[in-house]
Every structure is written in C-alpha cells, then in structure tokens.
C-alpha cells in the first residue's frame, strides 16, 4: 500500500480510532512490557507517533548502520504500511523519525548497551557499538503494539510512550543450544530460531552437531561422517546434515543479528555416528551400527589411537575455518565407557588441538576433571563439584544447570513433549533462580553467562521444539540480561502475559502455561 492510501485508510478509520485511542494511548513508558526488562526506564508522559512521513536516519558511510536501520524498516513496514526508508545521506531527522547513532563516552553502556530517548518528536537510540543499536531496535519493536509483528497490513496508530531507557546486559553470553543431532533441524528452522533469539537480545547459539544418533556437518576430509553418520536420527527418520555452504550461511545470518554460533562436536563419548562412519575410530577397528534410540553413555572414540587425534584435528580445523566466533565446544559429557585414565589425557590433548586452531574451548562440566588450559569455559549442567573444579583452575563457567535451565524438560506431568530426568521445569521455576547465587562457590565474576539447551530426543519439527522453547526462552533471555535484584516472578509474569499476543503475532507456537494469565486468552 502506498503512503497516500495509508492516509486515506487512516482517515476512513478515524472515527473508530478516536473512540478507542484515548484508552489505549501508551503514555507511561514505565508500564511498557519489555522482555528482557531494561535496567532503567524514566517516563515523560507523552506520546511519539510513527506517521507516513516517518523514516529511519543513520550515520553516513557505515554499512553496518544501514543494515540495522534496514532490519528495523523490514520489521515495521509490512504491518504498519508506513514504507519507512533508511536515510544515510547526512540529512537531519524531523518529527516522527527514528535516529540511530553511534557515540562514545558512555562507558556504562559497554559493548551491548544502548540509550533510547523518546520525545514527542523523535525516537533516538545511541550506543557505543552497533550491537547496542540492534538491541535498542528490539526494544522499539516491543514498545509498539503486538500486531506490529504481523506480516500483513494492520491499522495503527503506531504510538510509543515517551521517556528514556538506559539498558545493558548483566552477562556477556546469553545463549541457547539446539540439538540437531537427535533430530535434524534444517537451515530454515535454525534461522527462524535465530530471529526469535535476537528479539530477546540473546547473542549465542550453540549447535550440538554430533551425537550417537547423527553427524550434522559436512567435513570435507572425512566425508562419510555426514554422508553415513548423518543419514538417520532418533526414531529412524532420514536425518540430514548441513553442507559447509549452508552452515556458513547460518553463521552469517546469525552474525547479522549479533549472534555467534558455537559448534559442538561431542567427544570422546556420544560418538556413535562417527564410529559407524569410520571403523578406524573404534577400539577394535570395527564400525558400529547406526543408532536411533535415546540411550546415552555407550560409545567412545579410541583415545589411544593416533588416528583419533588426526580425526579431531581435521574436524576442528575445518570447523574453526567456518567459525568467526571465538569458541569451539568439545562436549566431553557422559563418557561412561571411557576410563578416567584415558579420558583425562584425551581432553588435555583435544584442548591443545582447539587452541592450535586459534579457538577457545568450551566443554560440559566433566572436562574440569582434566587439566584446563587458560581461557577454557566449563558449561555447568550436572555436577556443581565439577564446575567448582573448573573455577579453582581459573575457568569461567557457563551456567546451564539442568534442574533450572534444561529447556527440554517437561513443564509438568501433562507435557506432551520433553523429558523429566532433571525434574519438571514450569515457567516460574525456570525463571526463578540467580546464576550468581545458585552454587555458593560460583560467583558472579566466575560466570560468563547462561545457556538454555534444547535436547531433541522428543521433538522433531519446529512446532514441537517451540512448545518446549516458548515461553521459557524469554525467561532465560531475561536472566542473562537483567540484574537479579531487578527481577521477580510476580512482576515478570505480567510482562510475559502481555507477550502472549506478541509471540502469537511472531508465529511462535508457545505453551500456554497456567502459571500465566495470558492477555487475550482464547
Ligand atoms: C548433557 O546433558 N549430557 C550435557
């Protein structure tokens, strides 16, 4: 629709709007339902309105700014029909425009924070780095009515309450994990998820690319890993894998949304897909059968064979070349059939291999049984004593305690997907914890951030995955962003309730937990 048609439509519906607008005009910015909750919001009691004349202004000569401006325009234009353009030729913004500006000197905002000043005339976001502007843009989306997320033309008005938001995250790593090994999820599903993460200011997506049931990334020097090892999944479906080209495309898509991809190759256990693809990786030299069940802890690489280290080196060399982010994840969990005296030297050597390829190691908490190299990150999932061993060796901890953060756990006994070996995780339980006080020996300064892993034994498509991911993911996003002192379930559940409509407009098939009084409940 052209701008003139919009004006006509707006005029035609003026009578209707004038009846409803007064009660819905959002004049108090402190009442905005933003997730994650911003660090500070000060309201000034007026209204900023996007109009057919509104455009998005960015600084001249910076492609990255143009991209962020265009991202915002692409989010707002389909539903508002306002045809906002990105202006980067040095012209000054006027009434009703949005301005994105890099500045320096506001050190409190750090690399990811932003300040948003909204007056009756202008919506201005400033940040030290483009990532901060990108997060400010996510806040703009949430300040507008939920229907802005629809991709079909909606009626305005497109109003935002005036005031100032100053906002920056408490943790630098705010992540989720997708297990694409137990069931394969294709590039489109992962890109959709990346968009969903970005909307809640998450910045790290860990992909669990290999396990007993499947190998999901093309490795050119060991082609059978994907061709054979990727040919099935839990339940016997056809599985699949990412070509390196598809994988790089996902990495770029994530990078454009300020999300790093952390690829995991789990070892020495959880390796049946590799063991069935190459006999020489097995103790005894005989390939195993492909596996489509859900048991764990039965497979191991031959930790005493040099071929194994050639394999590890080749795989991590190729993955390092595909990974602009700093981390490679080596797994290391549940290697129940690897003797401890074999496991420790194996993990020590694999750390050296990853480091030689210029990357930082992340591993599940068992890796702290080995001698950790500097800069290693221990992902706490099961045993606090392991994570503490990591801290005592100087490692940082990534918090994924299974009893709180495993997003594949059922909500309650009636959940249609999920497991419950770590307990039920209702939406309140998943929200109501503080990474920095869960284990007394693991303090705020030891923690790099939080990650919610979605193991995929019980979910095989986007809708099933979303049932477990949402609404809990929003809570994990908030735990990673908002200081614990500013969070409470009683207040959060009201904001979450308002996000029901928003998630629906975003096309998210979320679980309507009875712990939340969803707005517009059907
Ligand atoms: C894990 O859940 N085995 C890390």
């Amino acid at each position: 629709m052209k701008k003139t048609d919009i004006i006509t439509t707006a005029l035609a519906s003026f009578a209707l709007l004038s009846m409803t607008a007064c009660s819905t005009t959002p004049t108090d910015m402190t009442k905005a339902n933003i997730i994650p909750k911003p660090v500070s919001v000060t309201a000034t009691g007026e209204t900023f309105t996007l109009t057919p004349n509104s455009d998005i202004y960015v600084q001249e000569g910076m492609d990255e700014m143009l991209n962020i401006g265009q991202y915002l325009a692409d989010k707002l234009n389909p539903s508002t029909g306002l045809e906002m353009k990105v202006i980067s030729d040095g012209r000054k913004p006027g009434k009703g425009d949005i301005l994105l500006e890099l500045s320096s000197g506001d050190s409190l905002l750090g690399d990811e924070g932003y300040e948003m000043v909204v007056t009756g005339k202008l919506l201005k976001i400033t940040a030290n780095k483009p990532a901060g502007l990108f997060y400010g843009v996510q806040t703009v989306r949430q300040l507008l009515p939920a229907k802005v997320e629809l991709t079909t033309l909606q009626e305005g008005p497109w109003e935002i309450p005036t005031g100032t938001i100053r906002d920056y995250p408490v943790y630098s790593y705010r992540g989720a994990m997708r297990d694409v090994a137990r069931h394969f999820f294709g590039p489109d599903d992962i890109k959709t998820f990346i968009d969903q993460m970005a909307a809640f200011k998450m910045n790290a997506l860990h992909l669990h690319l290999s396990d007993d049931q499947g190998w999901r990334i093309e490795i050119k020097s060991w082609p059978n890993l994907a061709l054979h090892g990727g040919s099935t999944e839990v339940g016997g479906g056809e599985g699949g894998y990412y070509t390196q080209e598809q994988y790089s495309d996902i990495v770029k898509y994530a990078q454009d949304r300020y999300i790093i991809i952390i690829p995991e190759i789990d070892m020495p256990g959880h390796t049946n897909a590799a063991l069935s693809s190459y006999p020489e990786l097995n103790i005894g030299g005989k390939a195993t059968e492909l596996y489509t069940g859900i048991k764990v802890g039965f497979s191991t690489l031959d930790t005493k064979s040099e071929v194994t280290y050639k394999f590890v080196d080749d795989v991590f060399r190729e993955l390092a070349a595909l990974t602009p982010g700093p981390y490679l994840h080596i797994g290391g969990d549940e290697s129940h059939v690897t003797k401890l005296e074999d496991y420790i030297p194996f993990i020590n050597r694999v750390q050296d291999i990853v480091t030689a390829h210029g990357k930082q190691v992340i591993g599940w908490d068992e890796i702290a049984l080995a001698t950790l190299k500097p800069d290693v990150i221990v992902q706490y999932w099961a045993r606090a004593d392991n994570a503490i061993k990591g801290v005592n060796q100087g490692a940082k901890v990534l918090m994924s305690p299974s009893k709180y953060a495993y997003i594949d756990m059922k909500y309650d006994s009636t959940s249609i997907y999920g497991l419950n070996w770590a307990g039920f995780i209702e939406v309140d339980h998943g929200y109501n914890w503080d990474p920095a006080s869960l284990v007394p020996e693991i303090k705020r300064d030891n923690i790099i951030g939080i990650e919610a892993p979605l193991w995929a034994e019980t979910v095989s498509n986007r809708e099933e995955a979303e049932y477990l991911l949402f609404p809990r993911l929003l809570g994990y996003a908030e735990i990673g962003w908002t200081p614990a002192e500013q969070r409470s379930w009683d207040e959060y559940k009201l904001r979450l309730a308002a996000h029901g409509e928003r998630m629906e407009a975003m096309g998210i098939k979320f679980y309507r937990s009875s712990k939340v009084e969803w707005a517009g409940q059907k």
Side-chain angles (χ1 to χ4, degrees):
M1 197 185 273
K2 290 272 170 291
K3 289 198 178 190
T4 44
D5 299 334
I6 295 284
I7 294 165
T8 317
T9 310
L11 286 174
S13 50
F14 179 75
L16 176 68
L17 290 178
S18 61
M19 285 190 292
T20 56
C22 295
S23 57
T24 59
T25 294
T27 50
D28 187 352
M29 194 184 235
T30 63
K31 299 226 160 61
N33 293 301
I34 301 164
I35 296 178
K37 185 181 182 183
V39 170
S40 95
V41 180
T42 316
T44 49
E46 293 174 341
T47 302
F48 167 87
T49 308
L50 291 172
T51 73
N53 293 323
S54 296
D55 285 311
I56 298 164
Y57 286 70
V58 302
Q59 274 146 317
E60 279 180 272
M62 287 189 65
D63 282 353
E64 199 170 351
M65 302 281 286
L66 268 177
N67 290 343
I68 297 170
Q70 195 56 51
Y71 172 96
L72 179 59
D74 291 345
K75 287 284 172 219
L76 304 189
N77 283 340
S79 54
T80 64
L82 295 177
E83 295 185 4
M84 283 186 271
K85 292 182 295 302
V86 183
I87 312 282
S88 64
D89 58 7
R91 271 182 282 163
K92 295 270 173 284
K95 187 167 165 64
D97 287 326
I98 294 176
L99 173 62
L100 309 180
E101 209 167 65
L102 284 179
S103 67
S104 56
D106 195 340
S107 60
L108 207 54
L109 297 182
D111 288 348
E112 295 188 291
Y114 65 93
E115 182 179 84
M116 183 186 303
V117 179
V118 187
T119 65
K121 281 188 167 155
L122 185 70
L123 189 159
K124 177 176 169 182
I125 309 173
T126 50
N128 295 324
K129 296 274 170 66
L133 295 177
F134 185 76
Y135 296 136
V137 157
Q138 304 311 325
T139 298
V140 171
R141 289 169 68 182
Q142 293 192 17
L143 287 167
L144 286 163
K147 63 188 173 187
V148 79
E149 297 296 336
L150 293 167
T151 50
T152 52
L153 189 64
Q154 306 296 310
E155 222 165 75
W158 303 105
E159 295 174 329
I160 287 178
T162 61
T164 298
I165 298 178
R166 284 181 57 79
D167 202 13
Y168 43 88
V170 65
Y171 292 111
S172 64
Y173 187 116
R174 304 176 302 280
M177 188 203 82
R178 294 297 301 265
D179 168 12
V180 294
R182 269 48 177 275
H183 283 103
F184 182 60
F185 290 79
D188 288 346
D189 283 341
I190 298 302
K191 286 181 177 177
T192 300
F193 184 60
I194 286 169
D195 280 323
Q196 293 164 345
M197 288 177 71
F200 302 103
K201 304 184 177 80
M202 299 184 94
N203 66 0
L205 174 58
H206 166 186
L207 291 177
H208 183 74
L209 290 170
S210 69
D211 212 303
D212 292 318
Q213 300 86 346
W215 184 286
R216 306 301 180 202
I217 177 77
E218 175 191 21
I219 299 295
K220 293 192 197 270
S221 54
W222 296 72
N224 231 23
L225 291 169
L227 291 174
H228 177 74
S231 65
T232 192
E233 61 184 9
V234 166
E238 67 180 12
Y241 65 89
Y242 309 121
T243 64
Q244 292 201 357
E245 201 177 334
Q246 287 173 322
Y247 185 80
S248 293
D249 181 53
I250 291 171
V251 168
K252 169 80 171 68
Y253 192 86
Q255 210 171 17
D256 286 346
R257 288 152 184 77
Y258 298 90
I259 290 173
I260 56 166
I261 301 286
I262 297 95
E264 177 187 354
I265 300 297
D266 203 347
M267 59 182 70
H270 288 280
T271 40
N272 187 71
L275 297 170
S276 76
S277 304
Y278 286 98
E280 60 267 42
L281 297 176
N282 290 265
I283 299 168
K286 189 167 172 298
T288 59
E289 296 293 316
L290 289 168
Y291 180 68
T292 60
I294 63 166
K295 291 204 191 87
V296 297
F298 61 87
S299 56
T300 185
L301 294 169
D302 183 353
T303 59
K304 295 205 172 85
S305 156
E306 279 310 301
V307 177
T308 294
Y309 297 98
K310 165 102 176 76
F311 159 80
V312 172
D313 187 58
D314 287 339
V315 168
F316 282 132
R317 181 177 3 85
E318 291 194 33
L319 269 180
L322 296 170
T323 303
Y327 308 118
L328 295 181
H329 199 304
I330 65 170
D333 58 319
E334 297 178 310
S335 291
H336 300 323
V337 294
T338 320
K339 292 196 187 93
L340 190 60
E341 64 260 36
D342 297 334
Y343 176 85
I344 289 173
F346 175 83
I347 294 294
N348 286 342
R349 204 160 154 188
V350 171
Q351 292 179 78
D352 287 337
I353 292 171
V354 168
T355 308
H357 292 302
K359 297 295 177 189
Q360 229 175 305
V361 170
I362 305 187
W364 298 106
D365 60 50
E366 290 94 325
I367 68 162
L369 298 169
T371 308
L372 299 180
K373 309 286 175 209
D375 296 332
V376 168
I377 291 165
V378 171
Q379 185 165 10
Y380 167 41
W381 71 281
R383 293 191 53 160
D385 55 339
N386 284 340
I388 293 164
K389 275 197 179 80
V391 168
N392 290 341
Q393 295 190 66
K396 290 267 193 248
V397 179
L398 177 57
M399 296 294 283
S400 300
S402 51
K403 288 185 169 63
Y404 294 91
Y406 264 33
I407 208 165
D408 64 310
M409 290 299 115
K410 292 182 174 202
Y411 295 92
D412 62 24
S413 62
T414 68
S415 293
I416 48 179
Y417 303 109
L419 299 173
N420 64 2
W421 59 263
F424 297 124
I425 303 185
E426 245 301 357
V427 183
D428 53 348
H429 182 71
Y431 179 82
N432 241 336
W433 61 286
D434 170 16
S437 63
L438 194 65
V439 180
E441 294 88 343
I442 305 175
K443 308 214 174 352
R444 166 74 191 84
D445 286 351
N446 306 126
I447 297 171
I448 180 174
I450 95 152
E451 183 181 288
L454 179 72
W455 299 100
E457 287 95 336
T458 68
V459 290
S460 63
N461 60 43
R462 183 181 150 193
E463 186 166 339
E464 293 169 7
E466 286 181 357
Y467 170 90
L468 292 173
L469 288 165
F470 296 97
R472 287 182 290 198
L473 193 80
L474 281 64
Y476 299 123
E478 180 150 309
I479 294 172
W481 183 280
T482 310
E485 316 77 71
Q486 290 183 232
R487 298 195 285 110
S488 83
W489 165 254
D490 284 341
E491 185 273 331
Y492 171 71
K493 73 179 179 194
L494 305 176
R495 277 182 291 123
L496 183 58
H499 272 262
E501 253 183 304
R502 195 168 295 274
M503 285 189 281
E504 208 165 280
M506 292 167 79
I508 295 173
K509 298 277 192 300
F510 64 100
Y511 169 64
R512 287 181 173 269
S513 165
S514 62
K515 299 274 173 183
V516 179
E517 286 182 33
W518 300 101
Q521 187 123 34
K522 288 189 199 112

